[in-house]
Amino acid sequence: MFRLILVVLAVAALTVSAGAYPTQWDGAADGDLTITLGLGCYIQIQWQDTDMVFDYDGDTAEDYYCNELMGTAYLHCPDPDGKTPSDAWAGSEYYCGTDGMYYMTNDGARIFVRSNNPLSMAVHTNGDLHYYDPDTSTDLYIPTWFTMCACPFMVGGSWFADGQVPESGVPLLWGSYLYDTGGFVIGDSNPTYFFPNEWAFPCAPASNTYTWGPLVPGVEGTIQWLARIQRFGMLDQGGDYATHLDVTFSSP
């Protein structure tokens, strides 16, 4: 009898709950796991064509003309009087009145960009077309503008498709003309501006800087540039006129 009681007591001791003992944690009971990637920034700028040249012979790839700076009636030269931009009589008061005639290059400059980082562009003007006559020690100018078109162009994974834009003078591509939203800030993707109703940025004075961006990646596409001038026939002295634009791309 005595032995039986001892066995029962022993079994009872083994069945005591574990909760009766303190739990000791060595380290935190919860935490965060982190996954990281050092992704490289890639920016590609291709200066494919840096010249905007007015056609001198008029035989192929003729320039455009219009009696308004930003009119919608730009047509291929020669103009109704048989003139091209480099003709001494182009825009003559005899034919066009005191407002002259506007001409636009068929030949354009082209810059291709690609970036997975926010990308900005700044365009600084350096004045109208200029020629210095050494014989008379005179600085001569011809009123000058430029247009910019994103064609084709993607920002944030979406492609611009506001209207047709000229490719080598032929409306083949789709894109968006850039324009001045005010305060020298460049805007894009506005269906108001389409070929041939492009915004004309003045080259004068030689102190303006227009900015575009920062554009949200992915950024990819071509920026096409064309030049415009206002001719006044024989009032424009003959000579080799030139000006340039300072284009700078930046990214944080």
Side-chain angles (χ1 to χ4, degrees):
M1 180 66 179
F2 180 71
R3 289 182 178 179
L4 179 60
I5 294 174
L6 290 178
V7 172
V8 172
L9 291 176
V11 172
L14 291 174
T15 60
V16 175
S17 172
Y21 296 94
T23 300
Q24 180 179 351
W25 291 87
D26 186 0
D30 58 54
D32 297 324
L33 301 179
T34 303
I35 302 174
T36 61
L37 167 67
L39 181 61
C41 296
Y42 180 86
I43 302 173
Q44 182 181 26
I45 310 293
Q46 293 182 351
W47 302 83
Q48 296 179 343
D49 189 338
T50 58
D51 297 317
M52 290 168 273
V53 181
F54 284 93
D55 185 31
Y56 283 93
D57 49 29
D59 55 354
T60 59
E62 293 87 353
D63 295 325
Y64 300 89
Y65 75 92
C66 186
N67 58 7
E68 298 177 5
L69 173 61
M70 290 192 282
T72 58
Y74 272 84
L75 300 173
H76 276 295
C77 289
D79 65 18
D81 301 303
K83 310 303 180 185
T84 61
S86 57
D87 190 300
W89 288 90
S92 171
E93 182 176 347
Y94 293 116
Y95 306 126
C96 309
T98 57
D99 294 331
M101 180 70 77
Y102 296 91
Y103 297 90
M104 181 172 70
T105 60
N106 178 82
D107 177 64
R110 295 174 63 83
I111 304 174
F112 177 81
V113 302
R114 180 185 284 125
S115 176
N116 70 343
N117 222 40
L119 186 67
S120 297
M121 180 184 73
V123 183
H124 179 79
T125 60
N126 289 281
D128 291 327
L129 280 171
H130 168 253
Y131 168 62
Y132 175 75
D133 183 1
D135 296 326
T136 61
S137 300
T138 304
D139 288 297
L140 304 166
Y141 298 90
I142 294 178
T144 312
W145 296 261
F146 63 94
T147 66
M148 293 182 290
C149 180
C151 62
F153 208 88
M154 176 184 71
V155 175
S158 298
W159 291 90
F160 293 151
D162 292 332
Q164 287 184 310
V165 298
E167 164 65 15
S168 298
V170 180
L172 295 177
L173 300 178
W174 286 85
S176 177
Y177 280 95
L178 308 185
Y179 63 100
D180 185 4
T181 64
F184 304 103
V185 176
I186 298 174
D188 55 54
S189 195
N190 186 333
T192 302
Y193 304 104
F194 56 90
F195 179 77
N197 186 30
E198 311 101 322
W199 185 271
F201 294 83
C203 288
S207 59
N208 290 340
T209 299
Y210 299 91
T211 59
W212 186 30
L215 306 176
V216 178
V219 178
E220 180 178 335
T222 298
I223 307 170
Q224 178 171 278
W225 311 65
L226 298 175
R228 295 185 178 185
I229 57 174
Q230 186 180 21
R231 284 293 320 280
F232 294 95
M234 294 292 285
L235 295 179
D236 300 322
Q237 179 176 318
D240 293 323
Y241 291 81
T243 188
H244 67 280
L245 302 168
D246 300 320
V247 182
T248 303
F249 292 94
S250 60
S251 181

